[in-house]
Structure formats: C-alpha cells, structure tokens
Amino acid sequence: MSTQFFERQEVQRSQTRWLVLAFIAALLLVTVVFNLVIIVGLIGHPGEVLSENPEYAVWISLVVLGTMLIASWHRSSQLRAGGAVIARSLGGVSVNASENDLKRKRLLNIVEEMAIAARIRKPHVYVLPEEPGINAFAAGLSPDDAVVAVTQGALDKLDRDQLQAIIGHEFSHILNGDMKLNMRLTAWIFGLFVITDLAVRLANKRGGGKDAARLKLVAFGIFIAGSVGLFAGRLLQAAVSRRREHLADASAAQFTRSPQALQGAFITMAASAEGSRLLNVGAVNVAHMFFAGSEAPWAQKLGTSWFSTHPTIEERVRALDPRVSPVKFRTLVSDEKRKQNARVAQAAVEGAAPAAASAQSAAASPAQPAPTVQADGSQPADVPLEGLVQFAAPIATASSSSSSEQVMNASSPAPSPAPHETGVATALSETMPTGVRMIGGKPLPPDVLRNRLSQEQQAAISVVVARVEKSLITVQATYVATMLASEAAKWRTQLTRLAPLLGIELLKETQEQVQHVAALAPAARLPMLMDLLLLLDGMDPADRKRLRAIARAFAPTVATGDMLRFAVTRILEKRLAKAVEAPPPVPLPERAAAVCELYAALAQCRFGVGKQGQNAYRAGLMGMLPPQKWVPFAEALVAPAALDTALAGVAQIHPTGKKSFSEGMARVIAVGGQLTVPQVDLLRATCLVIDCAVPVLPADVIFEDPDSAPAAQISAR
C-alpha cells in the first residue's frame, strides 16, 4: 500500500483550487455566449444594444449565473446525503449480508477484505443490476458515507481476483481523497449542464403555430449557448479524472499484490462486447467517478482524448506491464474473446443437456403422470421435493462451517460430490474471503482492535448484531440502552424523563435491550455498536433527528472517566449531524494543547494522574512536538467538556498531522504493555470523530485485569 496517501490528499486540495478557478471561468464563458445569442437572436446588433441599453447584459448575466449557481447548490445539497444518492440515481440496489446471490456474497466478502487491508470502515455496497458493462465507482464525501458500486457485468464476467483488483482501485480513490473532489465536480457540472437541459425541455414542449415555432427557435439559441457549458463541463471531467487513474491502478496492485489480476480485468473489459459502457442516461454526468471510461456517444465520435475521462485500456495495461506491446495487447484481447465465446457455447450446451435428459426420463417412464398445473399457473402442493432437497444439501453443509480452516483441517476426507453438486460447491467457495476469520458465519468487520477480544466476546457480538439488525427501532433502542446508567433505579428514572422524546415504541424496545447490553462484556459493547453504525444511515430523517436529540440529552450527563458513554454520545453526534464544509487544515503544532489534552486523557484511562500516567503521556509526545509545546500533565482527570474542546481542535489538523497524532496515541497506550477498556473506547471515538485511521497497536499489548485498573476508572464504568 502506498505510504503517501496523506500527502496525496494535499495534492487533491491544490487541484480543487484550480478546479474552482476553471469552474468560474466556465460560468463566465457561458454567460458571455448566452448574452451574445440572446441579444443577436432577439434584439439586434450586440454593439448597438449594449451601448444603448447596457442593463440588458446585466440582467441576462444575473439570470444565467443565478440559474447555474442555484442548480449547483441544489445538487450539492442533495449529494450531502452521501454516495448512496449517486448509486441510487444510476439504478443501484443495496447489497447486505442477507443476500442469497452467490456473486453478491462474493462482492461483499471482497469489500470486507479490502476494508480490513485499508484499515477503514466497510463502505456501503451497491450493484447496478441493469448494466451489462464492466465498471465500478466509489462515491461519498468521506470514508464514513462512502459507497462502492459495481455493475452486474463485472459480477458476471470477472473472476474473484479481477473483481478484487477493481475494488482495490476504488478503495484507492477513497483513501486518496478523490471522492470528495468528484462529488464537488458532479455538483458543479450539473450547474453547467442546466442551461442545456432547460433548452431541451423547451424544445420538446408540445404546441403549434407561430408561438411554438418561436419558442423552439429560442430553445435552439439557448441550447447553443448552453453547449459551451456542456463542453466546458466535459473538459473539466476529463482533466480531473485522467490524471488520477494511473495512481489508483498502482494502488490497486499494491492492495492486492497482484498486478496480473488488474491487467486481466482490463483485458476482459476490452474483449467484452459491452466494454465499460453504462446504459443509464445519467451516467455521463458522473463519468469521472467510474473505474473505466463511459463517455457519451458524441464524445466518442470526435475521436479525441480531450473529452476522455480515463486513459485508454491499452495505456493502463502498459503502465502495469511495460512489456505489453500494442501487438501483444491485441493478441491478449483476441485470446480472451475466444475464451468468452467458448464459455458461452459451453453454457448453451450444458443448458440444453438437462432438458434432453428430462425428456428422455419422461419417455422412459410413461406411467408417471406429469405434474398438472392449476388454473392460476401454479403447481399443486403435492409435487415431490426430494430433488430440491438433494440440491440444497451441499449448500447448507458448506455454509454451516464457521471458517475455511475447519473445512481444511477435517480429519476425514470429504465424499466425492455428485455431478450436479460440483458447480454449487465451486461457486460457494469463491465467495469465501481469504485471510478473514469467521465468527457466527460472518466475516469480522474491518476493525484492527477487534482481534484483541476473546472468541467468546466476538461470538456474543455477532449474536447481538444478528438479532438487532433486523429492525431499525431495535438498533436505535440498543444505542439508547448503552447510554443509560448501569444501576436499575437510575436508568428507569432516565427513561421516565426521556419518555416524551422516545415515544412508546422506542421506550418499550429500549427496556427490552437493557438486559442484552448489560450481558455483553464491557470490552464488547462499543465494538457491537460500531457494527450497527452503518444501519443508522437507513433511518428516516425524523428518527435520525430524534436519536441525535437523545444523544445530546445524554451528553452533558456523562461522568468524568466514563469513556463508553462519552464515545457513544459523540459518535452519534458525528454520524447523525449534517455534513458541513470543513475549515482549512492547520499544522499539528498549532493544536498542541488539544493534542496534549487527549494524550493525557488516554494515559489517565489506565494509570490515573500518577507518575506512570505522566510517563505514558510523554511517550506519546516524544518526537512529535517540541518540549516547549508540551502542556503540563493534568493533575485531575480530564472532564468531558475539555475532551470535546480537544477533539474539535484536533479535527482541524492537517491529514499528515493526524497521521502523526494517531501514531502518538498508539505510543501512549503501549506503555506498560496493557490497555484498558476506557482507553480503547476513547481511542475509537477519537479516531471516528476526527476522521483518522485507528493506529495499529503492538501485538503484545493486551487487555489488563479489570481488578487492577485505577479506582476512578472502575467507578466510571
């Protein structure tokens, strides 16, 4: 994996600056052309008109600029909901863990693996079922609301390694900060296209007579003026997208450690009849987001690379392997086409064989009556199901294994599968992730701290998540139950006071979930909530607003040192709040006081305010900040209000500074070789609130015995 991801994000910021300038220039150009078209077409000679009535140009300019800017703002406000808006607009369907389709399960497992490798939360997964071309994209304003979408053609035509290479390419865009730039560009391009769209709507308006002809003439003039924005938008798309694809290809090869897999995906794409083209008419507006080019037909006919959002497939293959000459590339594509045609022919033969066999079987046993069909087209209830049970048996057997290791380490050899079972077993094995431990039949979420929990704790988390994820009300109730006090008398009082805000349904469900949360080990409670975090995005706006209000009601009541409830309330605030434009980043030394505050709190979570806590605090700061920037180690436990101020300050640090800050947190926790549950809870909350990767702790750092924790921390739990 590239070590320059944080530096690459700074490059994206510099690209945003010139992109803003280019967008302003395009707006002005469209306005000038629009003025000329309107004045010449409706009024007369532009020189005479402007000299006699200059206010015409002012009003036309205001209307045109206002229309484009309002359209861009409207589109930008829609995109604040995250990448799912883009996926759904292209016909995307969400993919979840309950999917029965083996290809979609394979996709989920691949995304899970890549999220673990990238050390980020697993993004939402979408499939574009109506798209036969091979393509994919990542969209979102941040890794928290990121979406990875894949076409049905990619699922059908790529093997596992090739699909993993494409997903690795999209994860590179997530880590490099490309998604946010892409989302901005999408909103701005929409503003440049809106004039052309209005012209098309006017031209298609039904009617007759001179007024209709005049209206169509005006629409044609507006279309000419708007075409300037159309071309400018396409040029911006191409200029921004092309330069980043080679970096993403290289990062995908580093993620998967298999450049040949990505090269194979390109060859398959080039050999496919559909290529990478998307059929959805809205695809051209977000073409800069895709894995491969999906240019509009008019751009392809121009035969120029100016409007190409991606380098050619041959160029990208040659970048991965310089030994691939043009002749060799054409040979590889031809060979792949022959393989695809052979597979299609073989599938047709295999599909015809069962039909012929069933016909022979029917002829050989004429005494057995064919199943009748009811008047409504359904079969009678007494149709035998033995064949269906036999076919489903290998699937149930394979899925009942909790890990691939159990299958490989079995003492007795497996029986030879029947001919009709081979394809099912092979297809199912392709969906199993590599190198991912399975708990309760599901791969563990991408959480570098999760492996430090015991097998019993991890299994308990999986059981709770499987039960809770079926209902969004239960999900909300689980979060509320975690924020409640531990003592029965206190949490009943809290629920009574919150009853008007909770409502009857959520109140009853919260009372039900209190005992389930209490049954979990303290170290397993926040990881369980992290697994449910993505489900909050599917709540209705009213439910999101209510849950945020509940978290805000609990926030001031969090006791000093109670890191679980501090983490839950702050994580909910971060997740449920509306996305806002981040201020310009600042260097880490400018937020030295906030860094010191958080390091002190981390040290206090294990050692309290004594000498050992001071040593851990200094270990985090050593080599990162000059000693003159160090704040004296706090003599009292850091209060939640001070932590909020510190988090707000650290969130403004430059990405490279956040990386150093994250590594410093690992040094604080590593002192003494043991960590506490409050430390881990504060670590998780800090990284999520400030949008920072969770650091990798040394393997020999383990959870300490709760009985040896400081009294202040024990009471806070």
Side-chain angles (χ1 to χ4, degrees):
M1 188 188 307
S2 173
T3 59
Q4 304 299 322
F5 286 144
F6 288 100
E7 290 77 3
R8 181 63 184 169
Q9 291 178 1
E10 178 59 25
V11 174
Q12 298 303 331
R13 291 188 181 88
S14 65
Q15 288 185 356
T16 303
R17 298 186 192 103
W18 75 257
L19 183 61
V20 171
L21 296 177
F23 176 65
I24 294 174
L27 289 177
L28 296 177
L29 182 60
V30 173
T31 304
V32 170
V33 175
F34 202 91
N35 272 281
L36 292 176
V37 170
I38 295 297
I39 292 175
V40 172
L42 299 182
I43 303 176
H45 192 278
E48 297 177 359
V49 173
L50 293 178
S51 61
E52 296 178 2
N53 300 290
E55 65 275 9
Y56 288 174
V58 174
W59 284 110
I60 293 174
S61 299
L62 289 176
V63 171
V64 174
L65 284 173
T67 301
M68 291 189 290
L69 291 175
I70 291 174
S72 295
W73 172 83
H74 175 68
R75 185 58 173 164
S76 178
S77 63
Q78 289 179 328
L79 296 179
R80 288 176 186 170
V85 176
I86 300 290
R88 287 194 291 265
S89 69
L90 297 177
V93 176
S94 179
V95 181
N96 51 52
S98 61
E99 284 286 347
N100 295 322
D101 185 87
L102 294 178
K103 293 177 181 178
R104 295 188 179 187
K105 283 186 176 181
R106 180 181 68 176
L107 173 63
L108 281 176
N109 289 332
I110 290 174
V111 173
E112 192 92 37
E113 292 176 41
M114 300 311 297
I116 293 174
R119 293 168 54 200
I120 63 173
R121 295 291 299 178
K122 186 186 77 172
H124 295 272
V125 181
Y126 279 77
V127 168
L128 309 182
E130 304 299 327
E131 298 292 349
I134 300 174
N135 223 321
F137 68 88
L141 294 172
S142 70
D144 288 337
D145 59 18
V147 160
V148 172
V150 176
T151 61
Q152 187 64 41
L155 295 183
D156 294 337
K157 300 170 186 176
L158 300 179
D159 62 29
R160 194 182 199 284
D161 291 340
Q162 293 170 351
L163 185 60
Q164 187 178 48
I166 288 182
I167 299 301
H169 176 102
E170 299 308 325
F171 266 81
S172 171
H173 287 313
I174 296 175
L175 293 172
N176 289 342
D178 294 338
M179 292 191 311
K180 191 171 184 179
L181 181 64
N182 285 337
M183 298 288 273
R184 286 175 175 171
L185 183 58
T186 300
W188 295 347
I189 288 174
F190 183 79
L192 293 174
F193 290 176
V194 71
I195 300 296
T196 306
D197 184 64
L198 291 175
V200 172
R201 293 175 184 270
L202 285 175
N204 293 334
K205 190 174 182 180
R206 295 182 179 181
K210 295 182 179 180
D211 293 337
R214 188 180 296 110
L215 183 62
K216 292 184 182 296
L217 183 62
V218 172
F220 179 72
I222 295 175
F223 182 82
I224 293 176
S227 297
V228 176
L230 178 66
F231 278 89
R234 295 294 179 225
L235 286 173
L236 285 177
Q237 271 185 316
V240 170
S241 179
R242 276 200 309 266
R243 68 178 62 189
R244 298 169 300 150
E245 295 307 316
H246 287 308
L247 171 69
D249 289 345
S251 299
Q254 290 173 330
F255 268 125
T256 61
R257 300 295 191 268
S258 178
Q260 294 78 13
L262 185 58
Q263 178 179 320
F266 284 131
I267 297 299
T268 303
M269 185 184 300
S272 174
E274 294 83 4
S276 58
R277 185 87 172 91
L278 268 71
L279 303 179
N280 193 291
V281 293
V284 293
N285 296 329
V286 291
H288 55 285
M289 292 186 175
F290 295 138
F291 168 75
S294 182
E295 283 76 26
W298 62 265
Q300 296 176 346
K301 292 178 182 178
L302 290 177
T304 176
S305 62
W306 286 9
F307 298 99
S308 299
T309 56
H310 295 70
T312 63
I313 293 179
E314 181 178 350
E315 181 182 346
R316 295 171 76 175
V317 170
R318 201 158 43 240
L320 292 170
D321 187 356
R323 297 172 297 177
V324 178
S325 63
V327 175
K328 184 176 181 180
F329 175 77
R330 290 193 294 270
T331 303
L332 291 172
V333 173
S334 298
D335 291 343
E336 179 61 29
K337 285 183 179 179
R338 284 194 291 270
K339 292 178 182 178
Q340 290 181 5
N341 293 334
R343 285 194 291 267
V344 171
Q346 182 180 0
V349 172
E350 291 177 353
S358 60
Q360 293 177 0
S361 176
S365 54
Q368 181 178 359
T372 58
V373 179
Q374 305 291 354
D376 59 354
S378 61
Q379 291 185 350
D382 58 349
V383 175
L385 298 178
E386 288 82 356
L388 180 60
V389 174
Q390 292 176 4
F391 183 80
I395 299 181
T397 304
S399 61
S400 63
S401 173
S402 62
S403 71
S404 58
E405 295 178 358
Q406 294 177 359
V407 178
M408 296 180 64
N409 297 332
S411 58
S412 59
S416 300
H420 67 276
E421 297 176 1
T422 305
V424 177
T426 302
L428 185 64
S429 66
E430 290 181 353
T431 70
M432 299 299 291
T434 57
V436 180
R437 290 193 299 119
M438 307 289 286
I439 297 297
K442 294 183 179 181
L444 293 179
D447 187 341
V448 297
L449 296 172
R450 184 75 169 262
N451 292 337
R452 298 177 185 276
L453 301 179
S454 66
Q455 289 288 340
E456 293 76 12
Q457 291 171 344
Q458 295 182 27
I461 292 174
S462 298
V463 170
V464 173
V465 170
R467 177 180 52 79
V468 170
E469 65 183 357
K470 299 176 182 178
S471 169
L472 288 178
I473 284 293
T474 308
V475 172
Q476 299 173 56
T478 304
Y479 276 95
V480 178
T482 310
M483 290 185 285
L484 293 173
S486 302
E487 298 81 2
K490 289 185 178 180
W491 66 254
R492 288 193 178 95
T493 302
Q494 290 173 332
L495 283 183
T496 302
R497 293 177 178 176
L498 286 173
L501 183 58
L502 293 171
I504 296 178
E505 185 178 10
L506 183 56
L507 177 63
K508 291 182 178 179
E509 191 63 36
T510 300
Q511 292 173 331
E512 185 75 20
Q513 298 306 316
V514 168
Q515 57 181 342
H516 296 297
V517 172
L520 281 175
R525 293 174 187 174
L526 192 57
M528 177 269 296
L529 295 180
M530 298 296 285
D531 285 359
L532 300 174
L533 201 59
L534 291 176
L535 298 178
L536 299 181
D537 298 338
M539 294 193 310
D540 294 334
D543 289 340
R544 291 173 61 90
K545 184 178 180 180
R546 177 179 62 180
L547 185 57
R548 186 185 180 194
I550 295 170
R552 286 189 161 189
F554 275 106
T557 67
V558 174
T560 300
D562 189 351
M563 293 307 171
L564 172 62
R565 289 166 183 81
F566 177 84
V568 175
T569 53
R570 274 59 179 183
I571 288 173
L572 285 177
E573 175 65 25
K574 169 73 174 180
R575 192 76 181 190
L576 300 177
K578 294 183 179 179
V580 296
E581 186 69 20
V586 299
L588 186 144
E590 293 188 14
R591 296 292 182 268
V595 172
C596 293
E597 196 84 67
L598 286 170
Y599 283 4
L602 270 177
Q604 291 172 358
C605 285
R606 169 138 197 266
F607 299 108
V609 296
K611 183 69 174 179
Q612 288 180 304
Q614 187 175 4
N615 292 337
Y617 166 74
R618 290 178 175 177
L621 296 173
M622 194 74 67
M624 186 181 65
L625 286 173
Q628 57 268 26
K629 290 279 188 179
W630 295 9
V631 175
F633 184 66
E635 297 182 358
L637 294 178
V638 180
L643 284 177
D644 287 331
T645 304
L647 285 174
V650 174
Q652 300 174 1
I653 294 176
H654 188 278
T656 54
K658 287 182 181 179
K659 181 181 179 183
S660 299
F661 170 77
S662 176
E663 294 169 350
M665 287 194 293
R667 292 194 297 271
V668 173
I669 293 177
V671 171
Q674 292 182 325
L675 69 160
T676 65
V677 174
Q679 267 186 320
V680 176
D681 290 345
L682 178 58
L683 177 65
R684 290 181 187 275
T686 300
C687 292
L688 193 146
V689 170
I690 71 172
D691 290 324
C692 175
V694 176
V696 177
L697 302 178
D700 57 348
V701 178
I702 60 175
F703 278 102
E704 71 171 2
D705 182 2
D707 295 334
S708 64
Q713 299 305 328
I714 295 176
S715 62
R717 297 177 196 173

